[in-house]
Amino acid sequence: MVTESLIQIKNLYYKYEGKDDVSKNEYVLNGINLDIKKGEFIALIGRNGSGKSTLAKHLNSVCLPSKGDVFVDGINTKDDKFLYKIRTKVGQVFQNPDNQIVASIVEDDVAFGCENLGIPPDEIRFRVNKALTAVDMCGYEKHSVNTLSGGQKQRVAIAGIIAMEPECIILDEPTSMLDPKGREEVISTVMKLNREKKITVILITHNMEEAVSADRVIVMGSGKIILDGTPQNVFSKIETLNEYELDVPQASELIYRLAQKGFDVPECILNEEDCVNALLKIMQD
Ligand SMILES: Nc1ncnc2c1ncn2[C@@H]1O[C@H](COP(=O)(O)OP(=O)(O)OP(=O)(O)O)[C@@H](O)[C@H]1O
Ligand SMILES: [Mg+2]
């Protein structure tokens, strides 16, 4: 099956311009090539300052390449005639849910982006209902956003984006300010949107257990792509990940250490259940 590309990044270099910037004249993206297919669920990981957010900002024309090109559904992000179109194709959710809330009542907040797109009121109502259902927040239409938990606020922010019917959502550390329950709510919502609505998802995260839920994990280091593959493939490269000071899922780390000690274990394990099974097998052997 040939899957269509949604985003193509060709030899992308980027430096922030400006007098007071610490990184002035230094490229913070250093020759990135990437092809993201429609419907993929990608986790983008890398240590602080590796360029993840800067790369994300190139996908909806917030940043434009210093060198190279980025195409979204075949449109060059430098083509300012299509800025609006690109922004509707690629929506972005940020770290702090409070910074993304624009209205005090849930349904008004979700409707805001659609109103800016000039969508007729009946259509907006329909889309707001659909989006709240998709993030499992039906029944909260008239609630005040201030009374919601962090996880609920983040799901309302996601609803506001999906009401605009984007092809792709970028989530830049959407769970880092949430408690474990909020994290779980947001990640399962995002997985559902990807599986059921076929929305392409790019999840930027420092949480390796979250990265494991993706179909494809892309690892950045010093503005370059260091690893790109399935979670099994990427998290079996423990030495490379350690070199870039990245965590690995706890189960993968344990199995890797056992392998180093000569135990017969699978090459890469990503979750606790498989880890327990591997340990039981060692004990039975
Ligand atoms: N507005 C800016 N002006 C100048 N330099 C910037 C700006 N934003 C980011 N940088 C620099 O660009 C580099 C990449 O930053 P970026 O925010 O993309 O990294 P990141 O991988 O998202 O990090 P984090 O995990 O901390 O969010 C860093 O060296 C950072 O200091
Ligand atoms: Mg960032």
Side-chain angles (χ1 to χ4, degrees):
M1 191 181 79
V2 181
T3 319
E4 222 181 311
S5 283
L6 179 62
I7 293 168
Q8 287 179 306
I9 302 178
K10 300 202 165 150
N11 213 20
L12 167 63
Y13 287 79
Y14 184 75
K15 62 181 162 197
Y16 285 98
E17 307 281 352
K19 281 199 192 83
D20 304 322
D21 292 341
V22 195
S23 55
K24 189 184 161 199
N25 293 327
E26 267 178 37
Y27 284 109
V28 298
L29 298 180
N30 284 296
I32 301 227
N33 287 288
L34 205 54
D35 189 354
I36 295 174
K37 308 280 187 209
K38 288 189 177 172
E40 276 192 304
F41 181 173
I42 292 177
L44 180 59
I45 63 174
R47 56 168 294 183
N48 294 114
S50 57
K52 304 178 297 296
S53 297
T54 307
L55 179 62
K57 286 186 220 160
H58 278 81
L59 308 185
N60 58 358
S61 301
V62 174
C63 288
L64 296 175
S66 305
K67 285 197 268 178
D69 291 291
V70 176
F71 298 91
V72 175
D73 227 359
I75 304 169
N76 193 319
T77 57
K78 289 176 190 160
D79 194 342
D80 53 14
K81 282 197 303 298
F82 294 110
L83 180 64
Y84 202 61
K85 196 158 186 187
I86 287 171
R87 297 259 167 96
T88 55
K89 281 183 187 285
V90 181
Q92 194 160 356
V93 175
F94 298 94
Q95 193 170 31
N96 187 342
D98 290 323
N99 292 348
Q100 299 170 79
I101 303 295
V102 289
S104 54
I105 300 297
V106 169
E107 64 181 1
D108 298 343
D109 192 73
V110 177
F112 182 78
C114 287
E115 282 163 0
N116 283 342
L117 292 178
I119 293 165
D122 283 352
E123 171 71 12
I124 295 183
R125 254 192 302 280
F126 174 72
R127 287 194 190 191
V128 167
N129 280 335
K130 211 163 70 161
L132 283 170
T133 308
V135 302
D136 213 8
M137 285 294 285
C138 237
Y140 285 87
E141 290 79 357
K142 307 281 179 205
H143 282 229
S144 159
V145 181
N146 290 331
T147 61
L148 304 180
S149 70
Q152 289 173 324
K153 280 185 196 166
Q154 203 55 307
R155 284 187 286 146
V156 168
I158 295 172
I161 300 294
I162 62 170
M164 292 189 278
E165 302 189 339
E167 298 220 27
C168 174
I169 306 187
I170 305 167
L171 302 109
D172 197 344
E173 300 189 36
T175 64
S176 62
M177 303 184 74
L178 306 181
D179 60 14
K181 181 166 175 287
R183 280 176 185 249
E184 212 288 307
E185 286 171 13
V186 169
I187 295 302
S188 55
T189 300
V190 170
M191 285 177 74
K192 195 171 114 189
L193 291 175
N194 174 256
R195 305 279 184 260
E196 292 175 11
K197 307 227 177 274
K198 312 288 175 224
I199 295 179
T200 308
V201 171
I202 301 173
L203 172 68
I204 300 178
T205 183
H206 285 284
N207 182 315
M208 297 305 141
E209 321 298 331
E210 286 178 13
V212 164
S213 13
D215 306 320
R216 176 178 172 192
V217 178
I218 296 175
V219 185
M220 288 188 72
S222 312
K224 293 192 175 120
I225 290 173
I226 306 301
L227 293 170
D228 180 355
T230 60
Q232 280 84 354
N233 180 292
V234 165
F235 290 118
S236 62
K237 310 274 188 320
I238 307 260
E239 276 119 15
T240 312
L241 294 167
N242 285 344
E243 194 186 320
Y244 285 90
E245 298 171 36
L246 283 164
D247 290 335
V248 289
Q250 285 178 338
S252 311
E253 176 87 37
L254 177 60
I255 293 297
Y256 169 75
R257 290 197 193 174
L258 288 169
Q260 279 190 316
K261 298 262 183 227
F263 286 98
D264 180 19
V265 286
E267 199 188 336
C268 182
I269 287 233
L270 298 172
N271 59 52
E272 282 173 24
E273 193 186 335
D274 292 348
C275 184
V276 168
N277 288 335
L279 294 177
L280 285 173
K281 186 165 177 302
I282 293 177
M283 291 191 310
Q284 281 159 4
D285 285 347

